[in-house]
Amino acid sequence: MHPRRFFPAVAIGGGLTGFVLALPILGDVLRCAMCIGVMAGSLLSMKLWLDAHRAENLTPIDAAMLGACSGAVCGAASWIVSVPIRLAFGHALSDFFMERAFLPDFLKVNLRGLYTDDFASIFMSLPLQVVLYGVMGALGGFLGLQYVFSARREAP
Amino acid sequence: MKGLRAALAFVGLLPWIRGLANRELHASLGGAIDAAFFALCHHAPERTLVLGGDVMCVCSRCAGLYAGVFLAAVWPWRASPAILRIVLPAGAALMMADILSQDLGLHAPWHPVRLATGAIVGFAATAWMLSEMVGSGRRGRHGDHGEALAG
């Protein structure tokens, strides 16, 4: 099992998903749907890798590893993209959401919390986010192989 | 495998540590945990458990899901993949039924049901993944051993 063989598919799939999740407003909407965004990133990475390696199939371990790499990249990319946004536009975005009458109060409070973290919290959230997204990505990769790309599952 | 189990147990326990040790955690560390989970859960107040006077950083369904992930990671016995293959969609169907009936206004959010459905899905998905990985690891080792013997 060599995680490096899943690059650049996981870098593209995870990076793209992380970028989208970090975008204000669009990412905030996607975030409300639990961890589906991260799992979708694992599926995208898996599709990219399978399309590029048509003669190869994946074992459950490979699928979980691919998904974990994709999730970790997604978490890191999301963090990298969101830091300048949070630091530069955090308060403006927070005010923007607070003024939107159509948003439920709980969502406003959550979004305000997301955009007004102190720097120490933002910094410490990176390793947590990478591990958390990596674990969710591993589950997404495994379930993706079982349900979406089952034809490409390597026979035991 | 041990590293993966440790990561799964850590992630599964993290929102509960945040909730139970809220006052003892450094504010920045608490904020970091919140920031990491903000991206994964809506944690609407009426759908979130309150521990020690503070709302958890994830909703009660996600809290159940993470608890299920933790339990599967520390579960000492290997569960049968054939059973888990049935339990996971059954748990997901129960969860969908609860989500639909709750969002259609048929009942208020029931935390025990939300916790239970989340825990079933989290446990089944994680236990299935670990079980299949142990299985393919064993097959791989036996295959390598067979090839070595044949060679």
Side-chain angles (χ1 to χ4, degrees):
Chain A
M1 184 169 53
H2 304 288
R4 218 183 303 172
R5 75 188 173 109
F6 298 127
F7 284 81
V10 293
I12 297 168
L16 192 64
T17 313
F19 178 77
V20 171
L21 283 176
L23 289 180
I25 303 172
L26 173 62
D28 297 327
V29 172
L30 291 173
R31 269 192 277 269
C32 293
M34 301 195 293
C35 41
I36 288 170
V38 182
M39 292 195 176
S42 296
L43 287 181
L44 175 63
S45 298
M46 194 174 284
K47 167 131 186 67
L48 289 171
W49 190 86
L50 288 171
D51 286 350
H53 300 80
R54 293 187 179 278
E56 292 180 61
N57 290 330
L58 291 168
T59 64
I61 295 179
D62 292 333
M65 177 60 75
L66 189 152
C69 291
S70 175
V73 170
C74 175
S78 169
W79 187 87
I80 289 166
V81 175
S82 70
V83 164
I85 294 173
R86 285 186 199 182
L87 293 179
F89 307 110
H91 287 287
L93 282 164
S94 174
D95 293 343
F96 170 81
F97 284 119
M98 293 305 281
E99 288 163 9
R100 300 281 85 81
F102 63 90
L103 287 175
D105 285 344
F106 77 84
L107 198 58
K108 288 181 185 178
V109 173
N110 288 344
L111 292 169
R112 186 175 58 185
L114 181 63
Y115 285 113
T116 53
D117 290 329
D118 65 293
F119 186 75
S121 289
I122 293 174
F123 188 74
M124 281 193 288
S125 69
L126 173 63
L128 291 175
Q129 203 162 312
V130 168
V131 174
L132 181 59
Y133 281 44
V135 164
M136 285 300 156
L139 281 172
F142 172 76
L143 294 175
L145 184 68
Q146 301 296 332
Y147 291 116
V148 183
F149 301 108
S150 53
R152 301 292 300 273
R153 189 184 160 164
E154 194 168 286
Chain B
M1 256 324 251
K2 281 183 183 170
L4 177 64
R5 277 185 188 274
L8 287 164
F10 172 71
V11 165
L13 208 53
L14 198 55
W16 291 94
I17 291 173
R18 171 73 178 110
L20 293 168
N22 188 26
R23 301 283 158 84
E24 284 73 33
L25 286 177
H26 190 278
S28 292
L29 179 59
I33 297 172
D34 288 347
F37 280 101
F38 262 127
L40 296 175
C41 179
H42 57 74
H43 51 279
E46 71 276 14
R47 300 180 186 191
T48 306
L49 289 171
V50 177
L51 295 177
D54 293 304
V55 288
M56 285 184 78
C57 59
V58 289
C59 75
S60 51
R61 199 179 311 278
C62 285
L65 191 138
Y66 287 108
V69 168
F70 171 75
L71 286 175
V74 298
W75 193 255
W77 301 284
R78 186 185 169 215
S80 160
I83 293 172
L84 294 169
R85 194 184 284 268
I86 297 164
V87 172
L88 179 61
L94 273 176
M95 182 190 279
M96 281 311 296
D98 182 48
I99 290 170
L100 285 175
S101 59
Q102 176 191 280
D103 288 350
L104 288 171
L106 299 178
H107 63 80
W110 293 333
H111 288 307
V113 176
R114 291 173 60 84
L115 275 170
T117 52
I120 292 169
V121 169
F123 180 86
T126 309
W128 185 14
M129 179 178 78
L130 290 171
S131 173
E132 290 270 2
M133 288 173 84
V134 168
S136 22
R138 278 183 188 157
R139 281 192 292 271
R141 277 198 302 276
H142 290 166
D144 292 346
H145 184 59
E147 282 167 18
L149 287 175

